[in-house]
Amino acid sequence: LFDSGIGGATVLREVRRRLPAEHLLYLADQARCPYGPRSPDELRAIAAACARWLIDHRAKLVVVACNTASAAALSDLRARFPATPFVGMVPPVKPAAARTRSRVVGVLATPATLAGNLLHDVVARWADGVQVVSQPCPGLVEQIEAGALDTPATDDLLRRYLAPILNAGADTIVLGCTHYPFLTPRIRALAGDHVTL
Ligand code: DGL
């Protein structure tokens, strides 16, 4: 698995739970964190370098444990390394659209994830009749990497990013970045009990 940093650890945890017999190799690409503000070309080059490293270390399958890299590079990776299966991330709009009662869903993600086609395709396919409010969240990944999970600065960012979603009437919020589950307690506290993450 790879990610721009510790975010993919939230994916690693689930993979370990479901596939306890596998040997897992995790690349936290903190040298190039954050990925979110980077261009698609840059992200494709970075993702290819990470995949190359994992394959050179005998990975038989690569999980792109990052929504940003998946949005920009998943199809490119599959074309570049045809012998290796790739599993990518996409913000979980499908379950959110199925469970919302207010018919408004918010998506928190990085700028590059929101710019990519992957999310677009999922919204078009699974969120028919649901208003999807997409909110780019620059700066959140940096706070999480710094371990600033429960600080006034992180709360300020979260308040700013949650406001348009809550004002639109969302009752369901999608964490569209593998780093964001680390902020679940703060997002719950600031969004209120009526909102499902
Ligand atoms: N964990 C990455 C994601 O899921 C964070 C990207 C970043 O480094 O900005 O999008």
Side-chain angles (χ1 to χ4, degrees):
L1 303 86
F2 77 90
D3 177 48
S4 63
I6 59 168
T10 60
V11 182
L12 179 74
R13 190 173 54 199
E14 298 304 322
V15 173
R16 183 173 283 146
R17 206 190 331 256
R18 282 157 195 256
L19 302 171
E22 293 295 346
H23 291 107
L24 300 175
L25 184 59
Y26 184 86
L27 170 58
D29 185 18
Q30 288 172 312
R32 286 174 284 209
C33 188
Y35 285 178
R38 296 181 186 276
S39 72
D41 278 350
E42 249 182 312
L43 288 166
R44 278 190 281 272
I46 288 171
C50 290
R52 167 54 56 213
W53 189 87
L54 289 167
I55 292 165
D56 286 349
H57 286 76
R58 300 194 298 129
K60 64 183 176 186
L61 179 151
V62 174
V63 177
V64 185
C66 172
N67 286 267
T68 306
S70 298
L74 196 55
S75 47
D76 183 68
L77 288 171
R78 288 176 174 146
R80 263 185 217 239
F81 303 99
T84 304
F86 285 87
V87 177
M89 301 293 121
V90 68
V93 168
K94 183 183 170 187
R99 98 189 305 155
T100 176
R101 280 196 290 267
S102 67
R103 311 304 289 157
V104 184
V105 164
V107 179
L108 302 172
T110 69
T113 296
L114 297 179
N117 287 334
L118 215 51
L119 178 64
H120 233 258
D121 294 349
V122 171
V123 169
R125 183 144 179 230
W126 300 107
D128 198 28
V130 171
Q131 184 190 348
V132 177
V133 183
S134 298
Q135 177 61 50
C137 304
L140 276 191
V141 164
E142 291 91 320
Q143 293 298 105
I144 295 161
E145 287 290 326
L149 303 183
D150 187 359
T151 65
T154 302
D155 273 8
D156 282 350
L157 285 175
L158 283 175
R159 263 191 218 97
R160 183 164 5 129
Y161 298 148
L162 289 169
I165 290 174
L166 298 173
N167 290 341
D171 64 354
T172 309
I173 296 180
V174 171
L175 305 183
C177 168
T178 57
H179 277 76
Y180 299 169
F182 287 111
L183 294 177
T184 295
R186 292 314 302 150
I187 297 173
R188 271 199 215 294
L190 295 168
D193 286 343
H194 65 291
V195 170
T196 304
L197 300 187

